[in-house]
Amino acid sequence: MTDNRVVVYKEPGKVAVEKSDFPKLEIPREVADGLGIKQAAPHAVILKLVTTNICGSDQHMVRGRTTAPQGQTLGHEITGEIVEKGDDVLFHEIGDICSVPFNIACGRCRMCNEGKTGICLNVNPARAGAAYGYVDMGGWLGGQAEYVMIPFADFNLLKFPDRDKALEKILDLTMLSDIFPTGYHGAYTAGTTTGSTVYVAGAGPVGLAAAYSAQLLGAATVIVGDMNADRLKQAASFGCETADLSTGDDLADIIADIVGEPVVDAAVDAVGFEARGHGQGAEEEPATVLNDIMNVARAGASLGIPGLYVTGDPGARDNAAKQGQIGVRLGLGWAKSHTFVTGQCPVKQYNRQLMNLILADKAHIAKAVNATAISLDDAPRGYAEFDQGAAKKYVIDPHGMVVA
């Protein structure tokens, strides 16, 4: 069997593509030992990667803002073709092209039975929930690679019904592993509905996906806030209003100029813990976005928070933030009776329906997030450009299967 190659975190600001062993039908040793279960995984498949995307969550590790060790494999946005399967995989076949939720889920525990696949109890001995290629998430190997192992395949895989049609729309379908469901989850849990006014903090790929999803949900006006002019231009390209936070103008005033009042019906945090204050040269203030969305969301609103917050941030400005303790004005949210929806998106709650929209030509998420295909060897360049604020969603094409 051929060797494998995978993207690996080397040190802050640096990744590399390295050779690795071809994956086996086995779960990580730390999961098997920690949970007292066998390592052999007849329920698993090996995928040949068709596409695998660079995510903003990966960038947190690569910037040195998590406890990720040197050698951490990367990549949790996975779309691939089955090339090997275990004896207990009953409902998928060699040659199927499938989307893989970034949440690793057993399909058998209480959380999975309740549809909360982001906090599966049987895939990470350290805490509820796991993901591919991510620190503290169970030791599962990353999918920015040529091949990857997927456990509990019958439960986790979403098969595309028509191979040829799937390859034609692969730049849209690759977003089903994370970014599209995560953005949709943010807009949906913020209560977006027909005629809503919506504010989305952050014009990175997840923020753009949330804004596009808000439109799908029927929002009347979607405002996207950021300090990156290129990313704001990308948001405007599919009909969003924009709030340029680099000006230092008050966000409530910007919103009032657009919708006629200083509040919105729904608000989404698509930034997370590396947020900065407003204005040119503003310093990092990890609670800025949470405080912003509480301020501009009307009383009784829901706040969708797909932006990542961590329990350990070695690069934080103070000791409290290094433990995930940040200056959130919780009293403001309490006084306004806000609902906060946090945590990993449970991808399986949304991915099939969003796939149907794509295949019916009613959702064009790749255009909204400016999907840009690169080779596996170009992954270090993609990380560097994304870190500099490129208004693109980088899609790694390890085997040259993306249609030009």
Side-chain angles (χ1 to χ4, degrees):
M1 185 63 73
T2 183
D3 287 333
N4 190 24
R5 293 194 304 152
V6 62
V7 179
V8 173
Y9 168 65
K10 302 298 290 182
E11 62 186 41
K14 183 178 180 180
V15 303
V17 182
E18 297 185 350
K19 287 185 177 180
S20 66
D21 293 336
F22 192 84
K24 299 178 181 179
L25 297 176
E26 295 179 348
I27 65 173
R29 170 61 63 186
E30 68 179 87
V31 175
D33 290 349
L35 297 175
I37 58 179
K38 63 182 181 180
Q39 193 173 12
H43 48 75
V45 300
I46 306 298
L47 293 187
K48 174 183 177 181
L49 272 295
V50 176
T51 51
T52 175
N53 316 326
I54 297 175
C55 179
S57 297
D58 299 320
Q59 285 286 14
H60 294 306
M61 287 188 289
V62 174
R63 291 182 186 127
R65 299 301 298 272
T66 72
T67 55
Q70 180 179 350
Q72 168 76 55
T73 60
L74 300 174
H76 56 269
E77 300 192 12
I78 297 167
T79 304
E81 176 183 2
I82 299 175
V83 294
E84 182 181 344
K85 69 172 193 170
D87 291 341
D88 286 350
V89 179
L90 304 180
F91 305 111
H92 291 89
E93 302 298 335
I94 304 296
D96 288 351
I97 296 181
C98 306
S99 178
V100 183
F102 78 91
N103 325 107
I104 301 172
C106 72
R108 308 172 186 189
C109 70
R110 173 178 176 175
M111 294 297 100
C112 288
N113 283 324
E114 293 179 2
K116 300 172 183 176
T117 53
I119 44 175
C120 174
L121 303 176
N122 291 331
V123 288
N124 184 356
R127 68 192 214 196
Y132 304 92
Y134 212 86
V135 60
D136 297 330
M137 284 291 185
W140 301 86
L141 294 180
Q144 288 170 10
E146 293 176 329
Y147 298 89
V148 69
M149 186 276 293
I150 306 299
F152 308 108
D154 280 331
F155 183 71
N156 285 308
L157 295 181
L158 174 66
K159 176 185 173 181
F160 301 142
D162 184 291
R163 179 188 177 91
D164 291 339
K165 190 171 184 179
L167 289 174
E168 289 175 5
K169 293 183 173 290
I170 198 65
L171 286 179
D172 290 298
L173 293 170
T174 191
M175 306 303 167
L176 293 172
S177 58
D178 180 355
I179 178 178
F180 197 7
T182 293
Y184 190 93
H185 181 64
Y188 179 78
T189 56
T192 305
T193 187
T194 305
S196 296
T197 56
V198 182
Y199 174 67
V200 177
V206 169
L208 295 173
Y212 186 75
S213 297
Q215 293 176 340
L216 289 176
L217 287 163
T221 304
V222 180
I223 306 165
V224 179
D226 205 295
M227 293 186 284
N228 182 312
D230 289 339
R231 289 181 170 182
L232 289 173
K233 183 178 179 181
Q234 182 62 29
S237 74
F238 58 93
C240 297
E241 301 289 341
T242 59
D244 183 356
L245 304 179
S246 70
T247 65
D249 292 344
D250 186 76
L251 177 60
D253 291 341
I254 296 172
I255 288 173
D257 287 342
I258 296 170
V259 299
E261 57 181 345
V263 294
V264 291
D265 300 319
V268 179
D269 171 3
V271 178
F273 73 103
E274 287 194 67
R276 293 183 176 274
H278 300 176
Q280 290 285 354
E283 294 186 342
E284 191 169 290
E285 297 178 19
T288 296
V289 171
L290 291 172
N291 291 331
D292 275 352
I293 63 175
M294 283 188 286
N295 188 49
V296 301
R298 69 173 62 256
S302 181
L303 310 179
I305 309 173
L308 176 67
Y309 290 87
V310 295
T311 56
D313 174 10
R317 292 175 57 193
D318 57 62
N319 289 331
K322 288 179 180 179
Q323 302 178 62
Q325 297 176 11
I326 58 178
V328 177
R329 296 182 62 199
L330 186 59
L332 174 62
W334 190 94
K336 297 177 76 172
S337 295
H338 284 158
T339 298
F340 296 74
V341 183
T342 66
Q344 291 185 26
C345 165
V347 170
K348 282 175 62 66
Q349 288 189 19
Y350 308 103
N351 63 350
R352 186 176 300 276
Q353 292 84 351
L354 296 176
M355 176 189 74
N356 290 341
L357 282 175
I358 290 169
L359 294 177
D361 209 33
K362 294 183 178 179
H364 304 96
I365 186 65
K367 183 177 180 181
V369 301
N370 196 17
T372 303
I374 59 174
S375 70
L376 184 62
D377 288 324
D378 277 339
R381 174 179 64 83
Y383 268 95
E385 292 180 1
F386 187 35
D387 189 50
Q388 293 300 312
K392 298 178 180 180
K393 174 68 171 178
Y394 286 99
V395 176
I396 298 172
D397 176 14
H399 293 102
M401 298 180 72
V402 174
V403 178

